[in-house]
């Protein structure tokens, strides 16, 4: 039971394991300073299981964050300036962004709101929090995440 609860908590985190691996992949390419890295080099330097990385790289490539070249001289390279994309951009490239609560999802049918003429103060606060969270994630560049010291 405890293991099941732990697995559900991991699955429901705002930043999923796959997004975490994407951030690490980007970090490896950023640190490589425009040099091409193989998937194996990325995995070895960032402690990522190799079976995940190619799928993640393809998603980042579709959003023009990285370029992938196949073959003998192949590998990955960061093509987007880390100042020009955000943590939110990476999250949406990899996963659907998770809502703060089910009630903030458009079209969610809430019996409480239906009973109370569409008013729910909890819902209203959660919508504001979700908006602030999205703004924060959108305004936090990958460069800041990788380079700027965290404020304690």
């Amino acid at each position: 039971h405890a293991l099941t609860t732990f697995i559900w908590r991991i699955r429901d985190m705002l930043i999923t394991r796959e997004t975490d691996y994407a951030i690490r992949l980007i970090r490896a390419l950023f640190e490589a300073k425009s040099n091409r890295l193989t998937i194996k080099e990325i995995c070895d330097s960032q402690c990522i299981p190799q079976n995940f990385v190619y799928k993640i790289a393809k998603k980042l490539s579709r959003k023009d964050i990285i370029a992938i070249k196949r073959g003998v001289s192949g590998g990955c390279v960061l093509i987007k300036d880390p100042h020009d994309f955000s943590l939110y951009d990476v999250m949406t490239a990899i996963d659907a962004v998770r809502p703060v609560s089910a009630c903030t999802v458009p079209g969610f049918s809430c019996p409480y709101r239906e009973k109370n003429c569409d008013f729910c103060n909890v819902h209203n606060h959660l919508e504001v929090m979700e908006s602030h969270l999205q703004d924060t994630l959108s305004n936090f560049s990958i460069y800041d995440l990788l380079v700027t010291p965290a404020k304690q």
Side-chain angles (χ1 to χ4, degrees):
H1 183 276
L3 180 59
T4 304
T5 303
F6 177 72
I7 290 169
W8 276 104
R9 285 185 182 151
I10 288 175
R11 192 189 70 119
D12 291 336
M13 286 185 191
L14 181 63
I15 295 179
T16 63
R17 179 179 303 160
E18 195 173 1
T19 297
D20 174 56
Y21 291 163
I23 293 165
R24 293 192 219 179
L25 185 153
I26 292 166
R27 177 175 56 196
L29 298 178
F30 174 77
E31 291 171 351
K33 302 192 186 315
S34 300
N35 293 317
R36 195 173 303 277
L37 294 180
T38 65
I39 295 293
K40 181 172 179 2
E41 290 169 326
I42 293 167
C43 292
D44 289 348
S45 73
Q46 300 298 314
C47 305
I48 308 171
Q50 201 164 340
N51 56 331
F52 282 100
V53 175
Y54 189 72
K55 180 176 119 178
I56 294 167
K58 291 286 284 181
K59 289 180 179 183
L60 294 172
S61 175
R62 279 189 222 115
K63 296 293 184 176
D64 296 321
I65 294 172
I66 70 168
I68 303 170
K69 182 179 178 190
R70 298 184 76 117
V72 177
S73 62
C76 302
V77 65
L78 186 64
I79 58 173
K80 194 165 200 172
D81 185 323
H83 290 93
D84 296 339
F85 65 104
S86 69
L87 180 53
Y88 187 79
D89 295 329
V90 174
M91 292 169 71
T92 58
I94 300 302
D95 294 303
V97 174
R98 298 169 186 275
V100 169
S101 171
C103 81
T104 62
V105 175
F108 178 78
S109 178
C110 174
Y112 181 86
R113 287 178 60 208
E114 290 168 8
K115 179 181 173 186
N116 292 285
C117 301
D118 216 25
F119 177 80
C120 174
N121 207 46
V122 172
H123 171 85
N124 295 341
H125 281 292
L126 290 174
E127 277 190 330
V128 169
M129 285 181 219
E130 189 166 292
S131 176
H132 288 311
L133 183 58
Q134 184 174 340
D135 289 346
T136 298
L137 294 170
S138 295
N139 291 314
F140 201 85
S141 76
I142 289 300
Y143 180 85
D144 289 335
L145 183 66
L146 298 176
V147 175
T148 305
K151 296 175 184 162
Q152 298 295 332

